[in-house]
Amino acid sequence: MTPSPPQLASRLRGLGTTVFAEMSALAEATGAINLGQGYPDEDGPAEVAEAAIAAIRNGANQYPPGPGIADLRLAVAEHQQRFYGTTLDPDTEVLITAGATEAITAAILALCEPGDEVLCFEPFYDSYTAAIALAGAERRTVGLQPPDWSFDPDRLRRAVTPRTRILLLNSPHNPSGKVFSDLELEAIAELCAERDLIALTDEVYEHLVFDGHHRPLATLPGMAERTISVSSAGKTFSFTGWKIGWVSGPAPLVAAVRTVKQFLTYVNGAPFQPAVARGLRLPDSYFAQAAWALREKRDRLCAGLVAAGFAVHVPAATYFVMADTGPLGYLDGAALCRELPRRCKVVAVPAAAFYSDPQAPTPLVRFAFCKRPEVLDEAARRLAGLRTIASP
Ligand code: PMP
Ligand code: GLN
């Protein structure tokens, strides 16, 4: 008889990544436009792609050094200096990882003992739950409330226990598109210092900000010494499949993450590492233009969703917009997401996949707008049919 798989696998079912895969398969089967899983439908800068091709031709095809190639670590340090005024030692305070996903998992595994608690905001990116479970730690959450996705600072304070080890902050935030304000960051920083927490920040959407500005938590007074900052190249350069990410922070914490990381993937993406170094050194105009182009896409899809009858929470950043299906007569966004591909050949993901209880119905669904304008227009045209198709 086949031994039954351990509990962990079944505990992780129903999270975003499994739902995205299910929805992407449904999109494929029905020929629907896929506004579910967040990836662009156009490649990033040609010169960055050319740098990867050149690297392959020039023999960057064997294991790179464990912490990542020196030039990419230097480029990350230069990037942090240029955009945030942070000075890092590329040899001891920067580590290259297999995307932000590995960086976050390695950090949680490195810094948590079984039974420790990791505090994060809810809704949350799904890999956090998996990483916390792998570490044998416990997840505690504090809710972000629409429409502005604000949180109650007293609740946050009360959620910290003697076992809390890490406060995990994702800003700009997936799935809400929220950028945490200076005031909110100050409250979080104060709490981390007061309760001696390590901050772990997921900043993969750092350059995709339309309203407001992104301020890394590590730049707040007293936070550099207790923050592990994580980002990656996928979103900034529209190469989500390359999976090059990085960690920066104080040398002892980065060393701990490096120790775990070397037994997860050891190394990855040899030819992509020099290419990402090239990308990180692109002029400011590249980063501004990338955000500007995406902002137009956000506005385009939001207008289309409103015309189709959704109530829209306009995101300040990221690839995603949360839409409320209530005005269309749906109280369960997950049920609508299952029907959408067949009803109007569009795929979205249920916001429920980003909550502690993925079975609890919420009328919110998440649409990705990192697609060509004509694709967004066609999706909006199809969704406009929803109102005329009788709802249950
Ligand atoms: N964090 C968030 C908030 C994300 O949306 C994603 C999805 N791409 C990741 C981390 C993972 O990033 P990467 O592909 O670099 O592993
Ligand atoms: N981060 C992407 C999203 O939120 C998807 C990545 C994945 O499928 N794991 O849609």
Side-chain angles (χ1 to χ4, degrees), residues 88-113:
L88 293 166
D89 176 347
D91 290 333
T92 59
E93 296 177 329
V94 178
L95 168 70
I96 305 307
T97 58
T101 310
E102 186 195 37
I104 293 162
T105 301
I108 291 174
L109 287 169
L111 303 171
C112 278
E113 301 285 354

Side-chain angles (χ1 to χ4, degrees), residues 20 27 59-60 72 109 124 148 158 169 178 192 199 206 233-234 260 289 294 304 320 331 347 356 373 392:
F20 303 157
L72 177 55
L109 287 169
F124 45 78
D148 59 351
R158 285 200 303 273
L169 175 69
K178 172 190 174 77
C192 289
E206 61 185 319
V260 171
Q289 174 57 30
L294 201 58
F320 309 111
L331 296 177
V347 162
S356 299

Side-chain angles (χ1 to χ4, degrees), residues 212-287:
H213 66 281
H214 171 61
R215 185 172 173 204
L217 190 62
T219 62
L220 273 83
M223 288 307 287
E225 68 205 49
R226 60 175 65 252
T227 304
I228 284 284
S229 309
V230 171
S231 191
S232 80
K235 316 298 187 283
T236 299
F237 302 111
S238 293
F239 289 121
T240 59
W242 286 13
K243 297 296 286 188
I244 301 294
W246 49 88
V247 162
S248 63
L253 297 186
V254 171
V257 180
R258 187 169 59 233
T259 306
V260 171
K261 180 258 178 319
Q262 69 183 331
F263 296 112
L264 292 177
T265 53
Y266 176 43
V267 292
N268 72 294
F272 300 121
Q273 293 198 20
V276 170
R278 176 77 173 267
L280 287 170
R281 292 184 175 120
L282 287 171
D284 291 357
S285 55
Y286 167 76
F287 297 88

Side-chain angles (χ1 to χ4, degrees), residues 120-125 128 141-146 149 170 173-176 322 351 353-356 364:
C120 60
F121 293 97
E122 180 170 358
F124 45 78
Y125 184 60
Y128 304 165
T141 64
V142 171
L144 297 173
Q145 301 304 334
W149 305 98
N170 172 213
H173 181 260
N174 176 10
S176 72
M322 288 278 243
F354 300 87
Y355 283 87
S356 299
L364 295 175

Side-chain angles (χ1 to χ4, degrees), residues 23-364:
M23 291 295 164
S24 290
L26 203 54
E28 184 100 346
T30 55
I33 296 176
N34 192 350
L35 304 186
Q37 198 174 26
Y39 58 87
D41 61 355
E42 289 177 295
D43 283 341
E47 61 205 285
V48 176
E50 288 304 325
I53 293 164
I56 291 177
R57 292 220 170 92
N58 294 332
N61 299 307
Q62 311 307 331
Y63 299 128
I69 61 166
D71 193 47
L72 177 55
R73 283 184 280 112
L74 178 62
V76 169
E78 289 168 358
H79 170 275
Q80 298 304 99
Q81 183 79 59
R82 167 160 55 137
F83 287 100
Y84 309 121
T86 306
T87 305
L88 293 166
D89 176 347
D91 290 333
T92 59
E93 296 177 329
V94 178
L95 168 70
I96 305 307
T97 58
T101 310
E102 186 195 37
I104 293 162
T105 301
I108 291 174
L109 287 169
L111 303 171
C112 278
E113 301 285 354
D116 281 353
E117 291 173 0
V118 177
L119 181 56
C120 60
F121 293 97
E122 180 170 358
F124 45 78
Y125 184 60
D126 72 325
S127 83
Y128 304 165
T129 303
I132 294 166
L134 288 169
E138 298 289 330
R139 186 198 59 216
R140 286 178 74 92
T141 64
V142 171
L144 297 173
Q145 301 304 334
D148 59 351
W149 305 98
S150 58
F151 65 91
D152 176 348
D154 290 332
R155 279 210 166 164
L156 182 67
R157 196 162 277 279
R158 285 200 303 273
V160 177
T161 78
R163 305 236 49 158
T164 312
R165 179 87 176 131
I166 292 181
L167 189 148
L168 171 46
L169 175 69
N170 172 213
S171 181
H173 181 260
N174 176 10
S176 72
K178 172 190 174 77
V179 179
F180 282 68
S181 70
D182 286 357
L183 221 60
E184 290 171 326
L185 294 175
E186 281 157 19
I188 292 167
E190 198 179 302
L191 185 62
C192 289
E194 193 181 302
R195 303 299 297 267
D196 198 22
L197 308 180
I198 294 171
L200 174 59
T201 63
D202 176 349
E203 306 178 37
V204 299
Y205 298 100
E206 61 185 319
H207 288 294
L208 308 183
V209 177
F210 325 122
D211 304 322
H213 66 281
H214 171 61
R215 185 172 173 204
L217 190 62
T219 62
L220 273 83
M223 288 307 287
E225 68 205 49
R226 60 175 65 252
T227 304
I228 284 284
S229 309
V230 171
S231 191
S232 80
K235 316 298 187 283
T236 299
F237 302 111
S238 293
F239 289 121
T240 59
W242 286 13
K243 297 296 286 188
I244 301 294
W246 49 88
V247 162
S248 63
L253 297 186
V254 171
V257 180
R258 187 169 59 233
T259 306
V260 171
K261 180 258 178 319
Q262 69 183 331
F263 296 112
L264 292 177
T265 53
Y266 176 43
V267 292
N268 72 294
F272 300 121
Q273 293 198 20
V276 170
R278 176 77 173 267
L280 287 170
R281 292 184 175 120
L282 287 171
D284 291 357
S285 55
Y286 167 76
F287 297 88
Q289 174 57 30
W292 183 252
L294 201 58
R295 182 201 179 102
E296 284 190 355
K297 295 179 181 193
R298 172 199 69 174
D299 293 345
R300 204 171 193 108
L301 184 63
C302 286
L305 290 173
V306 168
F310 291 89
V312 162
H313 300 300
V314 178
T318 76
Y319 279 169
F320 309 111
V321 50
M322 288 278 243
D324 191 328
T325 61
L328 283 164
Y330 290 88
L331 296 177
D332 182 358
L336 178 62
C337 285
R338 279 191 298 274
E339 290 172 22
L340 264 188
R342 282 184 201 90
R343 279 190 163 207
C344 48
K345 292 205 183 306
V346 174
V347 162
V349 294
F354 300 87
Y355 283 87
S356 299
D357 179 3
Q359 303 309 323
T362 153
L364 295 175

